[in-house]
Amino acid sequence: MFMADIARAIALPVELDFMAVSSYGTATKTSGVVRIVKDLDIDLTGRDVIIIEDIVDSGLTLNYLRKNLAARHPASLEVCALLLKEGMQKVEPDLRYVGFRLPDEFVVGYGLDVAERYRNLDDLRVFVGPESGH
Ligand code: 5GP
């Protein structure tokens, strides 16, 4: 949903590609071990690349992605994150664009899920449940 909205807001000749990654961990916490479920189709060599990320929590997933994509020799590599959980990263994440900063709450909706549910909510909500840790 964020990708669709941001794509409509960019008035430049851009190409869009998708990558699906799955982070191992509990329902609401990542371990930093990332599996690429679907890789990009476009070759990034010499291109100006912006990673569009829904949410940065520990930053481990993004850290992995950034290294993985940087190794494909793009001309530039920047990150745009809709949501950044404040104070949750060991190292300050290098984000070119940030939508909103959040406290440590688990949020769902607007494409974000818990065990594949709630992605269809059209706004973001704090998830309170047994898996949330709250
Ligand atoms: P990180 O590696 O930064 O800890 O976690 C990044 C990934 O974990 C996100 O891309 C997202 O898939 C998931 N994630 C982290 N925090 C939340 C959250 O509050 N809600 C949901 N639904 N997913 C989250």
Side-chain angles (χ1 to χ4, degrees):
M1 289 193 198
F2 180 46
M3 182 71 153
D5 282 344
I6 208 141
R8 277 180 283 228
I10 300 174
L12 289 170
V14 287
E15 290 177 40
L16 307 177
D17 200 351
F18 291 87
M19 202 167 173
V21 299
S22 156
S23 312
Y24 291 104
T26 64
T28 60
K29 284 285 162 211
T30 50
S31 65
V33 181
V34 176
R35 181 168 62 103
I36 296 179
V37 179
K38 187 229 164 263
D39 206 343
L40 298 174
D41 294 316
I42 297 175
D43 180 1
L44 301 187
T45 311
R47 288 170 180 262
D48 294 308
V49 175
I50 303 179
I51 301 174
I52 308 290
E53 177 64 295
D54 49 10
I55 185 161
V56 177
D57 182 356
S58 67
L60 293 171
T61 305
L62 186 61
N63 200 25
Y64 169 87
L65 272 184
R66 193 197 286 272
K67 279 191 196 139
N68 185 294
L69 299 187
R72 304 181 194 197
H73 309 293
S76 64
L77 184 61
E78 301 286 356
V79 179
C80 166
L82 174 63
L83 304 166
L84 172 65
K85 288 200 196 168
E86 280 191 308
M88 298 306 292
Q89 303 83 36
K90 288 197 188 113
V91 182
E92 186 61 30
D94 178 15
L95 307 176
R96 181 81 160 79
Y97 309 98
V98 176
F100 302 95
R101 289 162 194 275
L102 299 183
D104 181 23
E105 301 274 20
F106 196 82
V107 291
V108 294
Y110 192 62
L112 289 167
D113 74 308
V114 61
E116 295 305 325
R117 288 200 59 201
Y118 311 118
R119 289 191 198 273
N120 57 322
L121 297 176
D122 62 7
D123 51 5
L124 282 161
R125 302 184 191 190
V126 174
F127 176 73
V128 181
E131 305 96 323
S132 70
H134 290 282

